[in-house]
Amino acid sequence: QVQLAESGGGLVQPGGSLTLSCAASGLTFARYTMAWFRQAPGKEREFVAAFSRRMGATRYADSVKGRFTISADNAKNTMVLQMNSLKPEDTAIYYCASSATIITSQLRSQSGYNYWGQGTQVTVSS
């Protein structure tokens, strides 16, 4: 059974940094596409970043490009989201997602992912 567990959220001041991790179990990590989504209060869940070693693809939402970096450690079955230059509008619950069957055109879509973590809260505030 595939399980995803996020960690690393917290409270940070604007301009600060946080590192989120997603520990995956029950899957062959290198064969899965991994992604981060987020949901702010009163808003729909939105795409943040995706990484697929299988497809050789990395994608970022325009709102985080140049500030966030997604990476994967296959040996540890862990995906990392390094978040720099954080803004108050980055405040949200961040979710880890994965899929073994997603295609390139679906990378930014929630419907392409089969497995989800429980989420970790990120709050950017002074």
Side-chain angles (χ1 to χ4, degrees):
Q1 182 177 359
V2 175
Q3 292 186 324
L4 304 174
E6 304 94 337
S7 62
L11 174 64
V12 63
Q13 292 187 341
S17 298
L18 272 178
T19 303
L20 302 184
S21 295
C22 173
S25 61
L27 54 80
T28 304
F29 195 71
R31 298 179 183 174
Y32 276 67
T33 295
M34 305 296 294
W36 290 96
F37 287 77
R38 67 186 182 186
Q39 187 166 18
K43 296 187 177 181
E44 294 189 353
R45 192 175 298 186
E46 65 175 4
F47 171 77
V48 175
F51 173 81
S52 178
R53 189 177 302 277
R54 174 172 61 88
M55 292 189 282
T58 304
R59 299 286 188 272
Y60 293 97
D62 289 343
S63 59
V64 307
K65 198 173 295 183
R67 300 187 298 122
F68 291 11
T69 303
I70 188 172
S71 62
D73 185 335
N74 287 349
K76 296 182 179 179
N77 269 22
T78 299
M79 176 178 62
V80 173
L81 184 69
Q82 177 63 44
M83 306 187 295
N84 299 326
S85 302
L86 283 162
K87 305 175 182 180
E89 51 263 44
D90 293 319
T91 295
I93 300 174
Y94 283 70
Y95 297 91
C96 174
S98 69
S99 172
T101 58
I102 196 169
I103 60 176
T104 305
S105 61
Q106 296 176 306
L107 285 175
R108 300 172 185 267
S109 173
Q110 295 183 58
S111 63
Y113 296 88
N114 310 99
Y115 304 102
W116 292 84
Q118 293 300 307
T120 185
Q121 176 71 48
V122 172
T123 302
V124 184
S125 175
S126 56

